[in-house]
Amino acid sequence: MNTTIEEMLTPCLERVHEANKRSRFRIGLPSEPDNRENRIALTPQAVEVLVSWGHEVYYERGAGKSSRFRDEDYESAGAKVVVSHKESLECEVIVRLTLPTLEESEMISNGAIVISCLNHIKREAEAYGLLAKKGCYILAIDHLRRVGDSDALLDQCLSEVRGQMAMTTASHLLQTNNGEGKGIIVGGVVGVPPTEIVILGADATAFRIAKYALAFGSSVKVFDSSHVRLQRLQDKLGSYNYVFTSIYRPQALDKALKSADILIACGSSSGEVEYYVTKETLKKLKRGAVVLDITPAALSGIETTRESTLDAPSYHEDGHVFQCLPDISMLAAHTSSIIVSDIVASVLNRLGASGTMEEATAVDDYINQGTIMYNGVTTNAKIAEWYGVEYCDIRLLKY
């Protein structure tokens, strides 16, 4: 009888054993090294959840200041607040919006897991190479996609923030008190022609921008190299929110730019330059027109845009007003950090459940596709080209 009961209980005991196998990490949450990023990858609420799962979080004092999160909140959530930047970088898992610099890479331990974004700020090749020499793993949260999605999950989640910030930013830059602003409003007023907006790209952010622009009463024109993406955008807007859509053609774009008040580049969905607006083409814009590059590192295809900083987010050139922050959602750092944090916490939950990066990439396709460096080997072809290193498909590293 006892043997029978023991046999019946075996599956339950195995499940308890499996649950106890869950990994508990030392997670470092270091501050950003410069003013190119003001968001933080984990909020105090996310830290509280991670601590409840058994993880240790080493939060560097002041890391959440720019995104308006207090050190006291992290301490109350159970994080170990450290003064040393080095101490926050010596953990098993490093979580931050930007990759480590060369100096920081020297502090990171061999085989560490770095969870970060790659598309919006490029680090020096030496820093990336040092992480590879140390056999590190890099998991890019801006490369994670759910099955069937054409846009990355982070882009989808941040698209609403980017859409709203694009409209409010353009509205501000068009004001007369902004130096060369045209002195017009975003939208339409009775008796006055509506503001004309040209959008390059038809991704999730472009959809949000078009949605808000139409609500303001603006005239919207969207260009993309894919008819499928254009059709998807129009379908999501609905038949009552019609926008002009066009495959990229120089003649059509030139005509649209001549009457445009705002030009917004949303980046390339495929990671390739798909629409290229030259310096000569930009001259067709009206004087005082606003040019927004939502994510300038993501191959927007505008020749003359250059990345701006939080200290000087906008600049004037050739009679136009430009703003090209690494990611326009940085202007709403607190809100954006909450969105990013939810995704990062989910990733950490999956990693903890799997135990190690090796096991996670073997059984979890979601983690697998976001891994761009595996034990020092670059597993993403575009990133390998970006940093000038060799590439190997991650599936070939499993055997």
Side-chain angles (χ1 to χ4, degrees):
M1 183 67 179
N2 289 338
T3 303
T4 305
I5 294 175
E6 186 177 11
E7 290 174 351
M8 293 173 60
L9 289 175
T10 298
C12 297
L13 294 172
E14 287 178 351
R15 284 196 293 272
V16 171
H17 177 66
E18 289 297 320
N20 289 333
K21 283 177 61 180
R22 182 183 182 91
S23 291
R24 293 165 176 81
F25 300 120
R26 288 186 301 112
I27 302 169
L29 194 55
S31 62
E32 295 290 342
D34 50 40
N35 67 344
R36 299 171 71 192
E37 179 59 74
N38 63 345
R39 299 167 296 178
I40 191 165
L42 287 173
T43 64
Q45 292 81 1
V47 168
E48 185 175 10
V49 173
L50 292 171
V51 171
S52 72
W53 289 340
H55 301 294
E56 290 182 286
V57 179
Y58 291 77
Y59 164 83
E60 183 181 354
R61 180 169 294 170
K65 182 179 180 181
S66 297
S67 48
R68 303 300 186 264
F69 291 103
R70 302 183 308 164
D71 295 344
E72 295 83 354
D73 295 332
Y74 282 97
E75 190 169 18
S76 299
K80 301 180 187 299
V81 180
V82 298
V83 179
S84 168
H85 188 57
K86 182 179 180 182
E87 190 174 357
S88 66
L89 288 166
E90 291 178 332
C91 297
E92 301 165 86
V93 180
I94 311 299
V95 180
R96 199 174 68 182
L97 268 295
T98 64
L99 282 178
T101 62
L102 179 59
E103 184 180 357
E104 291 173 328
S105 298
E106 293 172 349
M107 304 178 194
I108 289 177
S109 305
N110 293 339
I113 301 170
V114 179
I115 300 177
S116 185
C117 290
L118 269 76
N119 288 343
H120 74 307
I121 293 178
K122 181 183 177 182
R123 290 297 183 200
E124 55 269 39
E126 291 82 2
Y128 185 85
L130 183 54
L131 292 176
K133 288 180 181 178
K134 290 190 171 186
C136 292
Y137 299 83
I138 299 178
L139 203 160
I141 60 173
D142 50 349
H143 282 235
L144 296 170
R145 280 180 171 80
R146 291 177 297 200
V147 176
D149 286 346
S150 58
D151 295 318
L153 176 60
L154 183 63
D155 287 338
Q156 291 185 58
C157 294
L158 285 178
S159 65
E160 192 162 2
V161 178
R162 290 169 178 165
Q164 290 196 40
M165 294 313 305
M167 296 309 298
T168 56
T169 300
S171 178
H172 170 70
L173 295 177
L174 283 172
Q175 293 175 8
T176 310
N177 62 347
N178 189 52
E180 296 187 34
K182 294 183 63 179
I184 63 176
I185 64 171
V186 174
V189 176
V190 175
V192 181
T195 306
E196 295 193 26
I197 301 176
V198 172
I199 302 173
L200 302 181
D203 60 4
T205 298
F207 162 70
R208 295 294 182 180
I209 295 172
K211 176 183 174 181
Y212 296 128
L214 290 170
F216 271 98
S218 301
S219 171
V220 180
K221 298 178 181 179
V222 183
F223 290 82
D224 196 282
S225 64
S226 168
H227 188 277
V228 173
R229 288 197 293 267
L230 289 170
Q231 184 65 59
R232 187 186 300 123
L233 179 141
Q234 183 62 73
D235 289 345
K236 289 170 69 177
L237 288 172
S239 57
Y240 293 102
N241 289 316
Y242 178 77
V243 297
F244 172 91
T245 56
S246 173
I247 296 294
Y248 169 72
R249 295 187 181 89
Q251 298 87 349
L253 182 58
D254 287 354
K255 184 178 179 180
L257 290 178
K258 287 178 181 178
S259 59
D261 302 293
I262 304 170
L263 171 62
I264 303 177
C266 293
S268 167
S269 299
S270 68
E272 303 291 342
V273 175
E274 298 178 320
Y275 10 77
Y276 198 66
V277 180
T278 65
K279 185 175 182 178
E280 289 300 314
T281 305
L282 276 177
K283 290 180 180 179
K284 295 179 170 61
L285 280 172
K286 301 174 184 177
R287 185 171 185 82
V290 169
V291 180
L292 294 182
D293 207 337
I294 302 297
T295 51
L299 304 173
S300 67
I302 298 181
E303 181 181 19
T304 62
T305 57
R306 62 177 186 272
E307 186 181 296
S308 52
T309 65
L310 290 164
D311 291 338
S314 61
Y315 60 92
H316 298 80
E317 190 173 284
D318 296 330
H320 305 131
V321 186
F322 291 79
Q323 181 161 301
C324 312
L325 288 170
D327 189 327
I328 200 169
S329 69
M330 294 165 63
L331 295 175
H334 188 88
T335 300
S336 299
S337 295
I338 294 172
I339 294 171
V340 172
S341 180
D342 289 342
I343 296 175
V344 172
S346 172
V347 168
L348 289 168
N349 182 36
R350 288 170 178 260
L351 284 178
S354 298
T356 64
M357 273 294 289
E358 287 83 356
E359 293 175 3
T361 53
V363 301
D364 193 330
D365 289 336
Y366 183 71
I367 296 294
N368 194 50
Q369 53 154 337
T371 302
I372 63 97
M373 182 185 286
Y374 182 93
N375 194 22
V377 179
T378 300
T379 57
N380 182 287
K382 290 185 175 64
I383 298 299
E385 183 180 358
W386 200 3
Y387 283 104
V389 297
E390 294 184 355
Y391 153 77
C392 181
D393 192 302
I394 193 170
R395 291 170 294 185
L396 300 178
L397 301 174
K398 302 294 183 181
Y399 303 100

